[in-house]
Amino acid sequence: MTDVVLDGVEKIYPGGHAAVRNVRLRINDGELFVLLGPSGCGKSTILRMIAGLEEITSGDLWLNGSVANELTPRERNVAMVFQEGALYPHRTVKGNMMFPLEVSGDDRAEASARVVELARALGLNTMIDRLPGTLSGGQRQRAAIGRALIREPSLFLMDEPLSSLDAGLRTELRVEISALVRSSRTTTVYVTHDQVEAMTMADRMAVLRDGVLEDVGTPEQIYEDPATVFVAAFLSSPPINLLQATLWAVEGEGLQLDFGSQRLLLPWDDPRASWLISQHGRPVIVGVRPDTLTPIAPGAPARPGTVLSGRVRSLEFHGHEWLAYAGAGIPVVDANRVGRPARAGYTEPERPGLRDRMRTLLGRPAVDAAPPEEEHAGHHRRSDLVFRIGPGERPNPGDHVALTVAFDRMLIFDAAGKRVTPVRR
């Protein structure tokens, strides 16, 4: 068993590219900890630095109370599983799982018994004498996990081990991996870009962007109480509504969120009021998840300042629910463009417009003064509000809808994308 501490760890590659920036993180003994983020955010680099496969540029890595920067991977007693299991093709499942024990000189009979027992736990007992080439992708990954676990490492590292599998196998294997890791009580660091894997598997998790740690906590904490706009958007399916507003403190009324064409009013007795008043007259970002918007029956009364309205543009059927997309005339925010850390010496290149790119592909000269390429904000490019619809409540495209807002679950961020109110951890 071991705990892991990253104390100001950085990784800067030749040329000045900072893959990981000043990461401070503690992973507790026996914990299943998930590193979550989009491709290129630095999560796999952190995993490789923990394993000893990447040199740390600055900062310290502590394993079980001792600085481990200079230790070799073998001295760290870690086991690692990658996206592809990388099994030895000429060895059977049993031979692959036996290999680490053979290298360490374990008694062959005892090693064989351990392999058979672990293979049974992994559901591989009926294929233990088969070669990797005869196995499915999920079976190969189970064998790779078994080969890593059989050594009884102090630390288990997994780098997107399910990303190449189909959805059904991913669901099955993430349940098996979670149960197996927890039963072994081996400290595990699991890297993924899949929010469902992270939310369902993690004891705690960290969200990264551009090498920077954005948030750390339990899945429930990070989902319900995200520290930044990026975290709120990344852990959101269907996508969270991120709405641009200006906050005004109105004497005798409360805190007004002015969206231009519409307004919401938080009363002064709202527990967040003492924090939000610091944003008086400033732009803020209001996060409203689709399940916190409830359609009001046509003709039903609504208290002013508690409702957002719009016209339904489209509907999506998701089997267990419908999603509605409504235009409300409210400016929306692209989370990927808010609060992004600046990269020293880097300037975002100018990209040609769509028309210029098409003319280049067709071998035609670019046209001067081409109209600028339309920008969009991910899922919000056609709609201002996304909301869920229960059975029997479905409006039609073109219908006007009024939506009550659950104020207690509304998230408010400053213009830089940081939560205005304290984040509870």
Side-chain angles (χ1 to χ4, degrees):
M1 302 296 179
T2 191
D3 56 4
V4 181
V5 176
L6 287 83
D7 185 9
V9 167
E10 294 194 337
K11 178 63 181 180
I12 301 175
Y13 288 103
H17 171 63
V20 176
R21 313 176 190 206
N22 193 31
V23 168
R24 300 181 183 276
L25 183 64
R26 181 184 185 90
I27 300 166
N28 298 317
D29 183 14
E31 191 170 43
L32 200 170
F33 193 94
V34 173
L35 297 175
L36 174 69
S39 297
C41 71
K43 55 190 184 295
S44 291
T45 303
I46 290 175
L47 201 73
R48 291 173 65 82
M49 287 192 289
I50 294 173
L53 302 177
E54 288 277 3
E55 184 179 345
I56 296 172
T57 303
S58 63
D60 291 318
L61 169 70
W62 295 72
L63 298 178
N64 236 13
S66 300
V67 177
N69 293 37
E70 304 302 323
L71 296 181
T72 66
R74 178 178 290 275
E75 290 170 328
R76 300 181 192 204
N77 191 26
V78 301
M80 195 164 181
V81 175
F82 300 91
Q83 289 184 23
E84 301 296 335
L87 299 173
Y88 299 114
H90 61 286
R91 283 178 169 261
T92 63
V93 169
K94 184 175 183 179
N96 269 281
M97 293 174 65
M98 282 278 288
F99 183 73
L101 303 180
E102 292 172 357
V103 170
S104 60
D106 287 25
D107 178 80
R108 188 168 185 82
E110 291 181 7
S112 180
R114 284 174 57 192
V115 166
V116 170
E117 182 181 354
L118 182 56
R120 185 177 296 110
L122 288 166
L124 296 171
N125 51 307
T126 60
M127 56 200 74
I128 200 166
D129 294 319
R130 288 168 56 181
L131 293 171
T134 68
L135 304 177
S136 69
Q139 291 164 347
R140 285 195 296 272
Q141 280 299 79
R142 279 201 291 260
I145 292 167
R147 185 178 61 186
L149 281 176
I150 198 70
R151 290 178 42 217
E152 298 182 349
S154 300
L155 185 59
F156 194 24
L157 308 177
M158 307 186 78
D159 191 2
E160 304 205 51
L162 309 182
S163 62
S164 61
L165 306 179
D166 61 58
L169 270 177
R170 284 203 303 270
T171 301
E172 179 185 342
L173 276 182
R174 72 172 181 247
V175 172
E176 292 180 3
I177 290 171
S178 298
L180 195 62
V181 167
R182 288 189 169 89
S183 66
S184 69
R185 297 194 56 80
T186 303
T187 307
T188 302
V189 185
Y190 188 104
V191 161
T192 183
H193 63 273
D194 186 324
Q195 59 162 297
V196 175
E197 279 183 28
M199 299 279 282
T200 55
M201 295 180 70
D203 294 321
R204 286 191 309 134
M205 57 194 284
V207 182
L208 293 116
R209 176 170 66 155
D210 295 336
V212 175
L213 202 59
E214 293 259 332
D215 207 351
V216 182
T218 65
E220 184 178 7
Q221 287 172 336
I222 291 182
Y223 181 83
E224 295 291 347
D225 204 19
T228 68
V229 161
F230 175 78
V231 173
F234 199 79
L235 268 74
S236 185
S237 181
I240 188 171
N241 299 288
L242 296 174
L243 311 176
Q244 185 73 58
T246 303
L247 190 144
W248 302 99
V250 182
E251 188 176 353
E253 294 186 28
L255 294 164
Q256 185 184 93
L257 294 167
D258 184 353
F259 300 102
S261 59
Q262 304 194 50
R263 291 169 178 79
L264 292 175
L265 188 67
L266 274 72
W268 283 116
D269 60 1
D270 188 291
R272 297 165 291 184
S274 59
W275 298 93
L276 293 173
I277 197 170
S278 65
Q279 302 297 308
H280 170 67
R282 298 180 182 177
V284 294
I285 301 169
V286 180
V288 183
R289 297 196 186 277
D291 57 346
T292 65
L293 293 171
T294 305
I296 302 173
R303 185 160 54 90
T306 65
V307 172
L308 294 175
S309 61
R311 193 167 299 279
V312 177
R313 291 186 178 179
S314 62
L315 300 169
E316 288 182 353
F317 181 58
H318 287 250
H320 63 292
E321 66 179 357
W322 284 82
L323 289 181
Y325 295 77
I330 299 174
V332 297
V333 175
D334 184 351
N336 291 315
R337 299 190 175 202
V338 177
R340 198 150 205 162
R343 285 181 270 181
Y346 176 80
T347 304
E348 187 72 29
E350 289 189 14
R351 293 181 295 175
L354 177 60
R355 181 176 296 185
D356 282 348
R357 294 205 301 270
M358 289 300 296
R359 294 184 72 87
T360 299
L361 290 171
L362 294 171
R364 299 175 184 173
V367 178
D368 292 336
E373 182 178 358
E374 181 181 354
E375 294 181 352
H376 62 78
H379 290 82
H380 297 294
R381 62 186 179 275
R382 294 186 57 203
S383 306
D384 296 333
L385 295 175
V386 183
F387 60 97
R388 283 187 160 121
I389 306 169
E393 303 173 359
R394 188 167 81 250
N396 296 311
D399 287 355
H400 185 272
V401 290
L403 307 161
T404 58
V405 183
F407 279 17
D408 59 329
R409 293 187 60 200
M410 187 166 60
L411 304 167
I412 302 178
F413 306 87
D414 63 21
K418 301 288 186 182
R419 277 285 293 284
V420 176
T421 52
V423 176
R424 299 178 297 274
R425 292 289 182 267

